[in-house]
Each structure stands twice: as C-alpha cells, then as structure tokens.
Amino acid sequence: MGSDDLFRKLKAKASKKKSREIEKKEPYSKFLIVCEDTVSGYHYLLECIKHFRLSSANFHLVGLGQDPLNIVKEAERILKEESRSHKPDFDFAFCVFDRDEHSNYYNAINKIASLNKNQGSKCLSINSNPCFELWLLLHFVYTTKSFDKTQNKTAAKNVEAELKQHFPNYTKSNRKIFQETFENIETALGNAEKLERYCNTSFVDVPFTNFHTLMKFIMSIKKS
C-alpha cells in the first residue's frame, strides 16, 4: 500500500472516530508514537507536536533508544496493556525507526505486517533507509542517491554529511530542527512522495523514507 492510500485510510478512520466521540469533546483520535531515536528524530517530533498544539491526552510519544524490532515489540506491549485497562484504546501506533546498520530492520517491518493481520492497520511502520536525516535532506533537495557505506563512514553518516551542505546548523543535539526546517515542509513532502514512487517503480528501498506519511497525518489533524 502506497503512502497516499495509507494516509487516506488513516484520515478516514480518524474522522469516523471523531464523529463518534463528539459527545466526549475529544477532537481527534488517540495516537502512540514509539521512536527508535532519542535525540534528533525524537526532538523533531516533540517540536512538531508542540507546533501543531496536539493534546497530550490524545498523543503519546516514546523515545525508546533501541533497535527497530524492539520498537515494534514495545508498541505491541503498550497497545496490549492499554487494551486491558479502563482507558480508551490507542487508535494507531506509529513505529519510527531507521535502517542504519540494524540487522533486524526487515524483521521489524515484517513483524508489523504480521501484527496487522490480526489488528487491521493499527500498527504502522514509519521507516527510513538509511536514516531519519534523509527526511531532513528532502527539505532541500530531491535525491535517489543510495548513500552506501564507505571506508570511513556509515551510510547514515554520509547522509548527514550531505545534509550539512544544505543545513549547516544540523547536529543531532539541535532541538530546533523542526522550526529551522519547517518553511520547507511542502518541499519535503513532495520530494518524499516522489522518492517513494521511484522506489516502488524501481523495486529498490534505498534511499527511502515514509516519514511524510506521519507528517501529513499530524498536519491533517489540525485541519480537521
């Protein structure tokens, strides 16, 4: 399923949930994000949530700092735990992780697919290959460069090096990345969608990111 189809499905389900819960005065559905990153990607999402003023009662973000498979397992654990509690269930869980050099990257993607056979589209993979910084790079340029590992740098480090050519202020510890790149968000969305089409037609998965799916959904909540 392409990101556009997934986005429409998510938005339709959220709108349906919203209409059912008008009496409760809950403006949108409840979401969980479990993020591999505890630095750049995590703080990017934190700032994004603040920017769009999403309610903490409806949006829960976890920075786990573990490998992709454990990200999915943690999302599964939280979903099961909440389903057994008195609290309303999460409508979706977004698992955000990178390929980087993780050996279980594809295992994580496959586990999500397996979970969804029983849970519908409740658990969603937001994955980047090789890394989150590709999403940031797409704010400035469109690229299909594979960013292979070199003798001295990982693929992710090579993406970071190219990103810094366009965004010199970038460091993983920079907590203002969202604000500093937001003016180019429409460029990033368009470039990410174009890259996804390229990957689908060329049967490749590097470089790849579907981070735009999560961003489009967050942005649609505020427009609802």
Side-chain angles (χ1 to χ4, degrees), residues 100-101 147-161:
D100 206 352
E101 296 195 293
F147 296 102
D148 296 324
K149 180 179 180 180
T150 57
Q151 185 175 1
N152 299 320
K153 292 182 179 179
T154 63
K157 288 296 183 183
N158 283 322
V159 177
E160 288 182 38

Side-chain angles (χ1 to χ4, degrees), residues 22-201:
I22 291 176
E23 294 179 356
K24 300 178 182 179
K25 296 183 180 179
E26 295 182 4
Y28 41 82
S29 300
K30 188 173 183 181
F31 303 93
L32 168 68
I33 299 178
V34 183
C35 188
E36 170 199 339
D37 194 356
T38 60
V39 190
S40 54
Y42 175 77
H43 287 291
Y44 179 94
L45 287 169
L46 270 182
E47 293 305 311
C48 175
I49 290 168
K50 289 178 184 178
H51 176 85
F52 289 107
R53 298 183 179 179
L54 302 185
S55 170
S56 60
N58 292 70
F59 216 114
H60 185 50
L61 173 64
V62 177
L64 196 63
Q66 295 187 24
D67 63 75
L69 190 56
N70 279 323
I71 297 302
V72 180
K73 289 179 179 178
E74 178 66 6
E76 181 185 21
R77 184 193 68 78
I78 294 173
L79 288 173
K80 286 182 177 178
E81 183 176 279
E82 180 149 327
S83 69
R84 292 192 295 263
S85 74
H86 67 281
K87 298 179 292 184
D89 296 337
F90 285 109
D91 295 284
F92 305 107
F94 294 94
C95 299
V96 184
F97 55 88
D98 295 347
R99 171 68 174 96
D100 206 352
E101 296 195 293
H102 295 298
S103 61
N104 58 16
Y105 172 79
Y106 294 105
N107 299 86
I109 294 173
N110 291 336
K111 183 170 179 61
I112 288 174
S114 177
L115 289 173
N116 287 338
K117 287 183 179 179
N118 298 320
Q119 299 178 6
S121 296
K122 194 164 187 174
C123 196
L124 304 162
S125 173
I126 302 298
N127 51 294
S128 300
N129 189 356
C131 58
F132 164 73
E133 284 77 10
L134 175 63
W135 162 248
L136 299 179
L137 179 61
L138 293 173
H139 285 67
F140 304 97
V141 292
Y142 172 72
T143 182
T144 59
K145 186 176 178 179
S146 61
F147 296 102
D148 296 324
K149 180 179 180 180
T150 57
Q151 185 175 1
N152 299 320
K153 292 182 179 179
T154 63
K157 288 296 183 183
N158 283 322
V159 177
E160 288 182 38
E162 184 147 339
L163 173 61
K164 287 180 180 179
Q165 294 178 23
H166 304 276
F167 183 28
N169 289 343
Y170 175 76
T171 63
K172 284 188 175 294
S173 60
N174 182 351
R175 298 192 176 190
K176 301 296 182 182
I177 294 172
F178 177 81
Q179 294 95 319
E180 293 176 4
T181 60
F182 183 69
E183 66 178 5
N184 293 341
I185 189 68
E186 293 298 332
T187 298
L189 293 171
N191 283 339
E193 289 168 356
K194 183 178 178 181
L195 178 58
E196 183 176 42
R197 290 193 297 271
Y198 165 79
C199 289
N200 288 338
T201 57

